[in-house]
Every structure is written in C-alpha cells, then in structure tokens.
Amino acid sequence: MRHGAAVASKCRPVLRCQSQQLIPSIHRARRWQTTATTSAPAIPPRRWSTPLAETIAKAIEVTGPVPIASYMRQCLTSPDGGYYTTTRPTHDQFGRRGDFTTSPEISQVFGELVGVWFLTEWMGQGRPSSGVQFMEVGPGRGTMMSDVLRTASQFRSFSQAVEAVWLVEAGEGLRRQQCDLLCGEGVEMKEVDGQGQILSYWEAKSKHGKGIPIRWVEDVALLPTNKESTGKTPFIIAHEFFDALPIHAFESVAAASKPPKTELLDKDGRPMVRPSSASKVPQWRELLVSATQPKIDLFTPVTEGGVQQKQPDADFHLTIAKASNPNSLVIPERPRYRKLKRQPESRIEVSPESYRYIQDFAKRIGGDVSGNKPAGAALIIDYGPLDTIPVNSLRGIREHKVVSPFSFAGQADISADVDFGALADAALEARKGVEVHGPVEQGAWLTQLGVKDRAERLMKGLEKSERNGVETGWKRLVEGGPTGMGKAYKVMAILPENEGKRRPVGFGGMVAP
C-alpha cells in the first residue's frame, strides 16, 4: 500500500502541472462556460426606419400579411405619421427642397393652360353666366388652382360665372398652405355648417377675382351632392392624384397539378376518386405586404446598446396569398383581364378606390333623373401607360430619388401608375350621359393649347437668367427623355355626351366660336 501510495504521490504533481498549464480542470471549464454565457452580447429590439413602419409591422404580426392598398393607405394618410396628413416643419413634400416637383411647380404656364382649357369648355357649353364650380382633388400647395383662378380673372364673363372653388384635401397642414396661397397668408379658415351635408366644411375668400369662396372638405363624398347642386357646372381637376390612391396587385396562379386524394372506397373496396373542388383554370392570387426578417451581424463590435444591428434594405416585402381571397373579386371580368388570367404568372394592378372617385366625377357631369342636365368637365393628368394595364409599378419617392416603397413608411411618397383604360371604363359605366377623351400625352396636349406661344410672351421683358428658367421649364413639360414629362404624363377628359358633335381642345378639337 505504501508502494501504491508512493506511486500515487509521484503522479499528483504531474497531474497538477497538466491541470495548470495544459488543460483546465473540470471546475475551471465550468466557470469558463458560465462566464461566456453571461457575457454574450444581447440582441437589441429591431429598429425600424420610421415609427409608422413599426406600427404597421405590429399590426401585420397580429393580422397576418395585408394588401398593398392597406399598406399604402397607412403610409400616406395615417393620422399617426402619414405622409400627407402629418405636418413636418423641416420638410415639405413639394418643390426642390421636398421629395418631388409637380408640373405647376415647374412652370406657371402649366396651370395657366389648364385654366385656358376650362375656359374653352365653358365657351363650348354655352357660356353659362353662373353656377360654375371648380373642384380639385389633391391640390398640393394650391399652386395650380392659383394659376387657374388668376387666368380666369382675365376673362370677366368667365370669372363672374365662377360661384365657388371646392378643394378635397385630407391633410390639415396642406389645407393651411393652400389657404395661405389662395386667400392670403394667415387668413382664417372659418368652419361653416354644411346645411344638410354629412359634415361641415372650411371656407375663406380668394384673393383672386371678387372674393370667390374657397371651401375645403376631407373627402369627395363630402362635396355637395347632385341634388344640392342643381343647375351647376362642375369643372373638376385631378392632377397627380390617382397615382397616390391605393392599389391591389394580383398574380395569376396555375391550377394545382396534384391528383386529388383517394380517401373513399366503393362497394367492392376499390378506391373511389372524390370529385375535386379545386379550380381547373388559373386563379388570381393577391400580393400581400409582410415584414422582412431583420439582418443581424453577430460579428460586429459590441456597443453600450448591444450588438450593432445592420438595417435591412426594406422593412417590408411582398408575398403571394396561398389562396384566392375576397379582394380577388374586385377585378372586373373584362376581356383585358381575362386574357392575362389565362397566362400563369401574369400580374395586374387594380384600384377600386380610383373607380369611386372617377365614378363620382362622371355622375356630377352626366346629369341625373332629378333634373340635372349633363354639364361640366373633368381633367385627369397623371402618369401611366396609354393603353396597357400597369404592372410592378409601385414606387417610393424621397428627396427626388426613387426608393423602395417598403422603406421610410410615412416619410416617402408612394405611388403607382394610373390605369387610364380602367378609369375610362368606370366613368362610362357610372353614367350614360358622359363621354371620355384620351388619354393623350401631356406634351401633345400642351402643344395644341399653345404652350410655346404662351411661354414666349411670358419671357418678353425678362432678364436672361429668368428667360432661361422659363424656357427650361416649359420644355421639360413637353419633352420626353429621363427628365422630361411630356411622354410619361397623360391627359384624359370626361365631358357631357354630345353625340360626337364637338371634340375638346387638346384632343383634336377647336375652340368654340
């Protein structure tokens, strides 16, 4: 036993040496593991590009993926950070310091020619001496309406016929800007009882003409109804408005190719195929918005707040619905859609909310059974294809650059191409007493209205730098190319049906005598 003890005692120093210098002991190994676990950097909560993006993502977490239309509506008009409904003192949506520049902001000639076009329609419809009502949806800062009213004031009979101007604007901050420009800075907007309408409206006197009343409502449904507007002539303007209305996007998906399950047996015990309820033709499936998965680099250095998190390219992305949903029923069964439906992987974009607005325009212009005769005109100016269905056109605009529509929710404009063919169909279906002209390219429309002559008269007497600015502006409105707007933007008109006796100016027609 001594010998054994002696051997053991000789071995212990060796083991201590190994435990101290070569490998850790079991106890030390456990301490090392515990230390590693407790000191591992914690992953912080996900950071979103904007507070509104986080709000939308939390809603999606509860409800599941949402239609593009729901996402667009939240981004643009949410009371909690929507793009058009939130006032930001340090940031404006329009102009060089904003996110995008519209045609009226580029040159006053644009708004003036819009005013001239309505003048020609007033003349063509018998020069009514009263009851003319201008209505504009999405009037921006009010720049174009200011140019229209200034132009109208130069024609006494036309100006005296204008009874009121109605502006449809949901944003409180934009209403204030419009009032400052049209009525004078700081002029009070008084709230007026709607006299039978759903809600009241705001009103102030225009500084153009003889104090034409300017009235604001938040939605087209709050405008005076046809019954309340008997004998009126509505002149409606929608400039870069329909591109911001929510869209739904769909993809055609081929019918399932898998054979149905054989769960039933006949009386002889043989498998009996149960009739399949699945469609044998392609079906529309909606494209839905889902939150992206955060990208985290575990090898970035640790900071006081934890691991530095690299932001994903976008907060959201598109997924396709696993089955047809109720929104698939909003697609009108027209030949232009049926043909694409038969081709799997085809995509289309539709905007039911756009139909609501264009049908309202048509009903106001086309008359009704209560005694209103067809009168007035609507002018729609926006970007989109001439005769095809828009596809994959959703985009974001921020600081004059195209960005992902799924980044900077509430802090970037979101828009999509306008389907002019669908608008025309919806207008004609809403009222038989209207006809649709166009769309035509903006450059061709402005040229027929004499944009060059008007610009040349405007440049007379100006300094060289000012002349260059006017010339650059009007040419950008009519030219094509990457910076030109003449081909990308289209113009469409809705008029009272006149059996083809008269075509409007800019669409092949002449000024009425």
Side-chain angles (χ1 to χ4, degrees):
M1 292 182 65
R2 283 183 177 177
H3 177 75
V7 172
S9 64
K10 290 181 180 179
C11 291
R12 286 192 188 106
V14 176
L15 288 173
R16 284 200 299 269
C17 178
Q18 289 176 343
S19 65
Q20 294 172 0
Q21 299 180 14
L22 300 180
I23 60 173
S25 64
I26 294 176
H27 178 68
R28 291 188 61 189
R30 286 176 178 170
R31 289 183 60 196
W32 179 83
Q33 291 172 352
T34 303
T35 303
T37 302
T38 56
S39 62
I43 299 175
R46 177 170 181 172
R47 292 177 294 174
W48 302 90
S49 60
T50 66
L52 182 58
E54 182 177 6
T55 300
I56 296 173
K58 288 181 178 178
I60 291 175
E61 186 177 353
V62 175
T63 65
V66 298
I68 295 175
S70 300
Y71 173 78
M72 288 184 68
R73 194 173 292 110
Q74 286 295 309
C75 289
L76 298 178
T77 59
S78 170
D80 301 318
Y83 184 74
Y84 287 109
T85 50
T86 301
T87 301
R88 299 180 178 85
T90 60
H91 185 77
D92 190 3
Q93 294 97 337
F94 310 98
R96 294 181 179 179
R97 297 182 179 181
D99 294 318
F100 55 89
T101 305
T102 62
S103 295
E105 306 283 344
I106 292 173
S107 174
Q108 71 179 68
V109 175
F110 184 85
E112 291 173 349
L113 293 181
V114 170
V116 168
W117 187 86
F118 281 108
L119 170 67
T120 65
E121 276 307 305
W122 173 77
M123 296 168 63
Q125 296 185 32
R127 303 171 184 252
S129 59
S130 63
V132 172
Q133 294 188 336
F134 277 109
M135 299 177 175
E136 185 176 6
V137 290
R141 290 194 293 204
T143 304
M144 185 164 64
M145 184 55 71
S146 178
D147 293 336
V148 168
L149 293 178
R150 188 182 67 254
T151 302
S153 67
Q154 300 176 25
F155 302 88
R156 180 178 298 178
S157 297
F158 182 40
S159 179
Q160 291 177 345
V162 179
E163 180 180 278
V165 174
W166 291 88
L167 302 179
V168 180
E169 178 57 66
E172 181 180 356
L174 287 174
R175 287 196 298 269
R176 183 65 259 172
Q177 290 186 50
Q178 294 154 15
C179 184
D180 288 345
L181 181 61
L182 296 171
C183 307
E185 192 166 349
V187 170
E188 181 184 1
M189 300 170 64
K190 297 181 179 179
E191 191 168 358
V192 181
D193 184 1
Q195 298 179 356
Q197 297 184 80
I198 300 175
L199 291 175
S200 58
Y201 55 85
W202 296 274
E203 181 179 277
K205 298 294 183 181
S206 168
K207 62 184 182 182
H208 298 289
K210 296 183 178 180
I212 299 171
I214 310 293
R215 296 166 178 164
W216 287 265
V217 293
E218 293 183 318
D219 189 87
V220 69
L222 304 179
L223 290 170
T225 63
N226 281 6
K227 182 180 293 186
E228 295 164 329
S229 304
T230 303
K232 309 299 183 184
T233 303
F235 284 155
I236 305 169
I237 308 172
H239 176 258
E240 290 202 47
F241 172 75
F242 283 98
D243 65 281
L245 293 184
I247 65 166
H248 292 265
F250 300 90
E251 181 174 316
S252 178
V253 176
S257 58
K258 294 182 179 180
K261 296 180 179 179
T262 56
E263 300 175 347
L264 302 179
L265 301 177
D266 62 15
K267 61 181 181 179
D268 298 322
R270 292 173 298 191
M272 182 174 64
V273 178
R274 181 170 53 187
S276 174
S277 60
S279 174
K280 298 182 182 301
V281 298
Q283 297 292 314
W284 290 119
R285 300 283 179 83
E286 186 164 17
L287 298 177
L288 305 173
V289 178
S290 300
T292 57
Q293 294 298 319
K295 298 178 181 179
I296 302 173
D297 186 355
L298 295 178
F299 296 96
T300 52
V302 177
T303 63
E304 291 183 4
V307 176
Q308 294 178 350
Q309 182 179 350
K310 183 180 178 181
Q311 292 294 326
D313 293 335
D315 296 315
F316 307 94
H317 68 116
L318 289 177
T319 58
I320 189 167
K322 298 179 180 180
S324 296
N325 62 10
N327 289 330
S328 304
L329 302 177
V330 305
I331 305 175
E333 284 298 322
R334 297 193 179 101
R336 65 203 300 253
Y337 296 118
R338 287 199 298 267
K339 183 177 180 180
L340 290 171
K341 185 178 181 180
R342 292 194 294 265
Q343 303 174 20
E345 299 185 4
S346 295
R347 288 188 177 185
I348 60 172
E349 295 171 357
V350 297
S351 177
E353 193 159 339
S354 294
Y355 307 156
R356 180 171 73 92
Y357 279 92
I358 204 72
Q359 288 171 350
D360 181 273
F361 299 171
K363 291 175 182 178
R364 294 179 184 277
I365 296 168
D368 55 31
V369 295
S370 65
N372 275 327
K373 296 181 179 180
L379 196 64
I380 296 94
I381 307 174
D382 228 310
Y383 51 83
L386 278 172
D387 53 8
T388 58
I389 301 172
V391 58
N392 298 331
S393 70
L394 192 68
R395 66 181 69 81
I397 301 291
R398 191 168 191 260
E399 297 177 352
H400 297 274
K401 297 178 181 179
V402 177
V403 299
S404 168
F406 303 120
S407 299
F408 307 107
Q411 296 181 11
D413 185 36
I414 300 179
S415 62
D417 285 357
V418 175
D419 188 345
F420 286 97
L423 293 184
D425 289 340
L428 294 172
E429 291 172 358
R431 193 68 91 222
K432 293 182 179 180
V434 300
E435 60 186 30
V436 177
H437 295 268
V440 298
E441 292 178 349
Q442 176 178 287
W445 185 78
L446 290 172
T447 300
Q448 289 187 42
L449 282 163
V451 62
K452 183 179 180 181
D453 293 339
R454 172 57 188 146
E456 289 176 347
R457 289 197 300 271
L458 187 63
M459 287 187 288
K460 289 181 179 180
L462 298 179
E463 298 292 335
K464 183 177 180 181
S465 60
E466 294 176 319
R467 290 199 307 271
N468 290 340
V470 173
E471 185 173 14
T472 300
W474 81 261
K475 286 185 175 180
R476 183 181 175 188
L477 296 177
V478 301
E479 292 178 348
T483 60
M485 307 171 76
K487 290 187 175 296
Y489 284 77
K490 314 298 188 303
V491 186
M492 189 175 79
I494 303 175
L495 302 178
E497 205 281 324
N498 61 61
E499 300 178 350
K501 297 177 181 178
R502 182 180 67 86
R503 295 183 65 83
V505 176
F507 299 88
M510 304 295 291
V511 178

